């Protein structure tokens, strides 16, 4: 049943030219160099330390590693991370 819903939403998104991150519940990550990351559409903060950020997203996790991390903003489903970002990984569950 989930596959049918995903196929429908994908076709719906293409037909009406909607942003896929909204209709498919995908995370949107905007980087400013390697010092800022703005993450939208996450489903919860799992781990935060000065070297790692792990977020739950639809169909898995987003892991960001680096150093000197500071959460500048955390509002509902949006996070602004500041620090020296070295790696961003998507992990499917």
């Amino acid at each position: 049943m989930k596959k049918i819903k995903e196929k429908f939403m994908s076709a719906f998104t293409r037909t009406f030219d909607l942003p896929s991150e909204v209709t498919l519940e995908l995370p949107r990550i905007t980087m400013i160099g390697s010092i800022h990351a703005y993450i939208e559409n996450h489903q919860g903060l799992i781990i935060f330390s000065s070297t790692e950020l792990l977020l739950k997203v639809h169909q898995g996790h987003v892991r960001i590693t680096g150093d000197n991390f500071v959460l500048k903003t955390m509002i509902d489903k949006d996070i602004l991370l500041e620090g020296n970002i070295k790696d961003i990984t998507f992990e499917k569950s």
Side-chain angles (χ1 to χ4, degrees), residues 3-76:
K3 294 277 186 194
I4 294 170
K5 181 182 176 185
E6 288 176 12
K7 287 181 182 180
F8 172 77
M9 290 304 290
S10 181
F12 184 79
T13 299
R14 283 193 310 273
T15 302
F16 292 104
D17 198 27
L18 299 171
S20 59
E21 69 271 7
V22 173
T23 57
L24 300 177
E25 300 179 60
L26 299 174
R28 180 179 188 161
I29 301 172
T30 305
M31 298 276 303
I32 300 174
S34 63
I35 59 170
H36 286 261
Y38 185 66
I39 305 104
E40 301 172 81
N41 292 335
H42 72 87
Q43 297 176 347
L45 178 64
I46 298 172
I47 296 173
F48 175 75
S49 70
S50 63
T51 60
E52 179 181 28
L53 176 75
L54 181 65
L55 297 171
K56 172 130 179 57
V57 295
H58 184 67
Q59 297 184 344
H61 298 93
V62 170
R63 182 181 308 272
I64 302 176
T65 57
D67 50 53
N68 301 319
F69 285 171
V70 176
L71 283 179
K72 294 301 259 185
T73 307
M74 187 170 164
I75 303 170
D76 193 31

